[in-house]
Amino acid sequence: MRIRVNFEKSGSLIYTSVLDVQKIWERSFRRAGLKIQYSKGFHPQPRIQIANPLPVGFIGRDELVDVWLEEEISPDKVVAGLAGKLPEGLSINQIKVVEERSPAPVNLVRYSDYIVIFFDETTSYDRLSMEFSQLLERESIPRVRNRKSYDLRPLIHTISIENGEEGLPLVSMRLSSSPGKTGRPEEVLFELGYELSDFKVERTRLILGEPEK
Amino acid sequence: MKSKIDISTFLDRYLITVSKPGRYAGGEFNQIKKDWGQVEVHFALAFPDVYDIGLPNLGMTILYNEINSRQNALAERVYCPWTDMEELMRAHGIPLFTLENKVPLADFDIVGFSLPYETLYTNFLNMLDLSGIPLHSSQRDGSFPLIIAGGHACFNPEPMHAFVDAFIIGEGEEIIHEILDVYAANKEAGKSKKDLLLSLSKLAGVYIPQFFNVSFHANGQIRQISNTVEPEKDHIQKRIVRKLSKPVTKFLVPNIKTVNERALVEIMRGCSRGCRFCQAGMITRPVRERKTDEILETLLESIENTGFEEISLLSLSTSDHSQATEIINRVMEVSETRDIGFSLPSLRVESFNAELMSAMQAKRKGNFTIAPEAGSDAMRSRINKAIQTEDILATAEDIFNMGWTNLKLYFMIGFPGETMRDVEGIVDLCRQINSLAKKLVGGRARIHASINTLIPKSHTPFQWASFAKEDEILEKYHFIMTELKKTQIKIDWPDYEKSLLEAWLSRGDRRLSDVIEEAWKNGAKFDAWHECYDINIWRNAFDKIHIDPDFYTLRERSSEEILPWEHIHIGVAKKYLLKEYEKSQSLETTVDCREICHACGIQAYYHLNCSQIRGQS
């Protein structure tokens, strides 16, 4: 049986990588006594597929993971079984059953919605507005990440700003989020000259679509 | 002093900029987070190495559970921040804090450091410094936390005497409660720190270094060790528990990768083999075994409580457990039915038999380890690890026949009385095992030989021996490397200098406190890490303090000499250790004391019967 878990990752779990998160799910299910299917072959792996890796340091409000269980069991029973078996910082929004032959979750994600919150007076609404207008006017934004060159511009779908709490600007972004075409919010801010310790990021939504051919 | 809010704000903003930020986040499954205001005594458990290494430590886990099981106390954890985090914390004025509630260390009533080995000493100092706590016991009044320490390195507590208020010698499960009771009583009565230390000194197994005076002869040797407060109480007797307490099952499950991620069961404590180089075997006597049913129940409960995909049995010599075969059979069953990996360290060649082997057959992945330690039958008699070469080869043959391809061999060089013949023996043995491997397993065979330098540790028959000289060790090592070059054997050799540092620190007297502090001041930290330690910082520190480090290592000591750890009693008598040292010189062996009791002193000291206490747990 295949289920899709919609969950939130925050608090102490902000600093875990996608591999860590996979392991955390594996162990949570094991603690709950819910048996996960294993892949075949020399090195069997638990069948857990995270839809889209969330970078270390981000809060995720709408994350997705598909899990293949050995037994047929109702989503309610899965939720009940996992109650009290998850580490703090991990909470389930919803679980639903997915058809076995559905596409891999990684192929369903198209965009990610992020909000970026700045710490104290690093910048201002006015300054950011100007910086983003200028950025979006550019036809290309060449960047290098992990020694690979890429163009950031086509990966930006929309950016908007508003005045957030305590007068600190709140940036919303929708960036492309599919294999090979992933825009990263911190890259946008690095391009504008900001540093990691100036802001924090929250992924608020995963936008799904039909898998691309 | 930074408040909790400041620390949280700092973490929120800057934690993302350091390596492996998950080290400082806490929130692990099975973490115990109590309400600060609801308890009387606040205890910080400190492990002076990085989180990745400290989190799985069993001693810490046991004490964490023991302390938190009390209504009137809480325990939170702190590990040594990595260098990048330390730099950031210092730059922002953030003090060292515990993981659970992010409380600065200085706010705790007691900070208990785990000291499993000596190369952690400088990290200990660094953690106090990062907490704004004065390093010296004499500089701390009642407004600072009580600083205590326990662990195997504490069996020679003298080098750290200046920094620790009270050492716990031996097993901590029971004494920790006594310490907390005394602390709570003293706190309620509003007593001073001096009164507190006086009360603590009455507990068996507690050593208060400031109550002891050590004087020296002109030649540097110790003239006298005396208790200035209670002169008749001239020694500290290590603490043992007569029956192993209920084992931990709620291990902390890390959210990030750590060095070990397994459910562990300690199946046995102590060892009866009497290998003459082994400190752990001597200081953990008497042997106490856990019952098979309890071991299995514990494993099953642990798997349920943690979800770990691997389990492991812990002891100094697993195959010596009287029910070893049954235990392994039943654990293998659990391993197979639950799809859980199972690792089994510390098996002795002598206790190998067909039954045990076939019990392990299904578990053919991974490494098999055997520890011949010495290369010749003669040297093995000296060190009292009396296995014959032909038995080692027979075991290796069985191992390969059963399908294992990876074999790790442990050896030591630098034994007293060692000649090149013994070293040639290591080469010969490796060559023979290699041929066997090639013949039975072929090209897939992977043999790994680890060659360590003997450190003559306190409380062993070799404690009077001198540490081997550098040129001799290098010559022996190069010989082994050259001779085995054409084989595919991978050879591992920890630096002589790293062993030298451990030798200085484990054999030193109280004068080393100044050296340790000087080394720390000059940047020594993470000395257990290959990429971090710098022997020159230490050589310079010895120089500055005008102490010749060779005094501690390159000198065979006479049996008349008062050793720095003389006043720490482990129950095994000094005269027994001396007799063993003499026997090693005449190649005489001492059989496993399960066969014949050699009156090492443990039974007399603790008024117990070893055969009885062995099976009681």
Side-chain angles (χ1 to χ4, degrees), chain B residues 115-225:
Chain B
L115 291 176
Y117 39 94
E118 297 82 1
T119 38
L120 299 177
Y121 288 168
T122 49
N123 280 357
F124 170 109
L125 292 183
N126 210 32
M127 287 170 79
L128 285 185
D129 186 62
L130 262 173
S131 308
I133 297 173
L135 303 185
H136 287 249
S137 175
S138 55
Q139 297 165 328
R140 299 190 292 258
D141 62 16
S143 67
F144 291 104
L146 184 72
I147 306 295
I148 70 177
H152 282 196
C154 298
F155 279 85
N156 176 15
E158 295 301 284
M160 291 294 278
H161 88 283
F163 316 113
V164 178
D165 295 325
F167 286 94
I168 300 179
I169 310 295
E171 295 162 8
E173 301 95 316
E174 285 173 5
I175 197 177
I176 194 68
H177 291 289
E178 291 165 24
I179 289 173
L180 288 169
D181 287 338
V182 165
Y183 187 90
N186 269 261
K187 184 174 176 181
E188 202 183 311
K191 297 272 182 77
S192 70
K193 179 173 175 178
K194 183 77 187 281
D195 287 328
L196 172 61
L197 292 179
L198 280 166
S199 306
L200 288 174
S201 71
K202 306 269 188 288
L203 301 175
V206 174
Y207 170 51
I208 313 283
Q210 62 179 252
F211 290 173
F212 277 71
N213 186 56
V214 180
S215 55
F216 297 88
H217 289 298
N219 67 5
Q221 293 182 29
I222 291 174
R223 195 166 70 79
Q224 192 190 41
I225 301 176

Side-chain angles (χ1 to χ4, degrees), chain A residues 12-13 15-16 20 23-24 26-27 30-31 35 56-57 84-88 119-120 122 196-198 200, chain B residues 11-16 21-22 25-27 29 31 33 253-257 261 304-309:
Chain A
S12 331
L13 285 189
Y15 305 102
T16 52
D20 294 329
K23 189 113 278 191
I24 289 169
E26 183 191 332
R27 288 175 180 160
R30 201 176 281 124
R31 290 191 285 264
K35 269 189 131 176
V56 174
K85 307 293 185 195
L86 301 177
E88 62 175 63
F119 292 109
D120 54 52
T122 320
L196 264 181
S197 50
D198 292 333
K200 63 182 178 187
Chain B
L11 292 174
D12 215 21
R13 184 160 185 174
Y14 293 104
L15 199 50
I16 191 59
F29 193 79
Q31 177 187 255
K33 207 161 152 179
V253 185
N255 290 320
I256 60 168
K257 208 154 165 40
E261 291 168 38
E304 257 180 65
N305 287 335
T306 61
F308 276 135
E309 55 281 356

